[in-house]
Amino acid sequence: MNQHAEALVIGEAPGEQEEKHGRPFVGPSGSEFDRSLRAAGKHRGKVSLTNAILCRPPENDLKKFLDVQRRSAKLLGTKAKSPVECCKPRLDREIAKFDNLIPLGKTAYRSVTSTSSSILSVRGSELTIKFVPDGKIKQVMPSLHPSFVMRQRRWSHVFRNDITKAFRIFEGRGGWVEPGVVYNPEPAELAKFLSDTSKIYTYDIETDGIECLTANIRCIAIGDEQNVMVVGFRSNCTGRHIPGLFVDWYDTPLESIAMLGVLTDFFGNPEIIKAGHNSGYYDRTVIRQRLGCDVKPNIDTMIAHRSVESELPHSLGYVASLYTDAPSWKTDREGNKLALGGENDEELHLYCARDVVITARVMPPLADQVALRDQTSVYRMDMKMQEICMDMHIAGMYVDQTERLKREKQLFRM
Ligand code: URA
């Protein structure tokens, strides 16, 4: 173990070559990892390598082995320890020597954090954990397993980006700056903040449901790369009309109506460009239903991302992991625009505020990519299609997305 290393890199289990040589990452996965290290301007001397499990699983297939083990334990009515659990005390002893960890793949990530998240939903965003055995804080940058990257080449640049970012953050060179957030501003304060017609404002809303025609708003955040204002609504509010909704947060009905005026002036102002992630359909419809104005002109950064990397996820979490150094924050990496429900209002307002600054921060590099790849007309066409789908939905011709996906799979035999 290289104790002068800047980070401990944790893989899954030894493969054929690793078993032969008795060292981790000496086979093809190791070569792939080396390429990512080179891209980060590093070499093996800068890391220490280990695995979540030290034995090679039969047929190199850990998942199959764990399934068989689970099934036989069930049949026998026993509870066998998994190889990951058996190896955990040894792994913990290794982890204890490092402040910075790079778990590669699901097995390593779960072993380090004792969570069951999917690696695709957490990779590329730094998180800090309290290491249970000694209570010390560790910086963790999860990424993909190199063997996955070798099978799915569209993820290669993502993997290299993650590793480069890991060292940038570990060395204190990360570019994340906490935004300034104002919660429940006075109507006049918000109006002043929204008065700059020369810039693009980003926005996000959180709701209490997933059906945009009927969902109530829990909060609206509007901002730019540095600052956000969050207008909160009581989450237990059942009222349908806005002045009623505001009364809980704003002292008087008059103040609530003033706030409604500020919001509708902003969203309905054709002179101000608004942008949001996945905003062109969901947010726009909710605002139309609840505030009674159409958000125009509107840029949807999710649609922009579709035209840049059509074959990869489009959620804000994914886009942010590529273009910003934002630490892990609670976001829906699947790209669904739904209220998460479980959070209290304060937590939800913070997530919403973060979504807004992050959208503002991904917008310039995303716009560069759209232009570089000559995708402006594709973006415009997709925006138009999105508007047609939104209008169909409002008119009652709702596209059942689960059914659509099923048909699409049949059609393309996926
Ligand atoms: N895959 C791993 O997870 N670890 C190795 O050491 C080699 C391949």
Side-chain angles (χ1 to χ4, degrees), residues 3-208:
Q3 288 190 34
H4 303 292
E6 293 175 20
L8 177 65
V9 178
I10 306 153
E12 184 177 280
E16 190 184 349
Q17 292 301 317
E18 287 77 16
E19 188 180 49
K20 203 156 115 196
H21 293 93
R23 281 188 295 133
F25 286 106
V26 290
S29 287
S31 305
E32 183 63 27
F33 179 65
D34 284 344
R35 284 190 277 276
S36 75
L37 273 181
R38 274 199 296 280
K42 301 286 172 184
H43 55 80
R44 284 231 175 174
K46 294 287 178 190
V47 293
S48 201
L49 296 147
T50 189
N51 278 309
I53 303 166
L54 288 193
C55 302
R56 186 175 172 220
E59 299 169 52
N60 236 11
D61 192 338
L62 181 64
K63 184 174 175 311
K64 189 168 161 197
F65 177 71
L66 292 177
D67 284 347
V68 171
Q69 198 196 30
R70 221 171 289 124
R71 263 184 274 129
S72 30
K74 202 172 164 193
L75 274 178
L76 297 169
T78 56
K79 190 176 174 332
K81 261 190 169 181
S82 75
V84 179
E85 287 167 317
C86 294
C87 262
K88 185 77 169 108
R90 183 268 318 159
L91 181 63
D92 278 351
R93 283 195 296 280
E94 293 181 78
I95 289 176
K97 299 181 187 131
F98 294 88
D99 295 330
N100 304 320
L101 311 173
I102 307 180
L104 301 178
K106 169 184 83 177
T107 308
Y109 177 76
R110 291 181 179 180
S111 201
V112 166
T113 61
S114 306
T115 60
S116 57
S117 314
S118 99
I119 191 69
L120 290 181
S121 72
V122 295
R123 57 133 288 282
S125 298
E126 176 236 349
L127 69 147
T128 47
I129 58 163
K130 195 165 171 190
F131 183 54
V132 175
D134 61 14
K136 288 200 180 138
I137 298 297
K138 310 275 176 197
Q139 281 190 292
V140 183
M141 175 61 81
S143 190
L144 305 167
H145 194 278
S147 64
F148 170 82
V149 177
M150 287 189 294
R151 289 193 307 273
Q152 309 255 352
R153 277 298 176 199
R154 63 183 185 277
W155 290 93
S156 295
H157 70 292
V158 178
F159 180 52
R160 289 175 199 179
N161 192 68
D162 290 353
I163 303 303
T164 302
K165 188 202 273 194
F167 287 102
R168 188 163 66 235
I169 289 176
F170 295 161
E171 289 165 8
R173 295 184 287 111
W176 176 251
V177 182
E178 275 301 324
V181 187
V182 175
Y183 296 99
N184 296 318
E186 297 292 317
E189 197 184 358
L190 182 64
K192 185 159 179 262
F193 179 61
L194 300 180
S195 63
D196 185 351
T197 48
S198 68
K199 73 181 193 192
I200 300 177
Y201 287 92
T202 47
Y203 73 101
D204 188 32
I205 60 169
E206 302 293 341
T207 62
D208 64 0

Side-chain angles (χ1 to χ4, degrees), residues 194 197 264-274 294 296-297:
L194 300 180
T197 48
T264 51
D265 283 353
F266 168 74
F267 283 115
N269 186 344
E271 307 275 297
I272 301 178
I273 306 175
K274 279 80 55 174
D294 193 12
K296 247 181 167 177

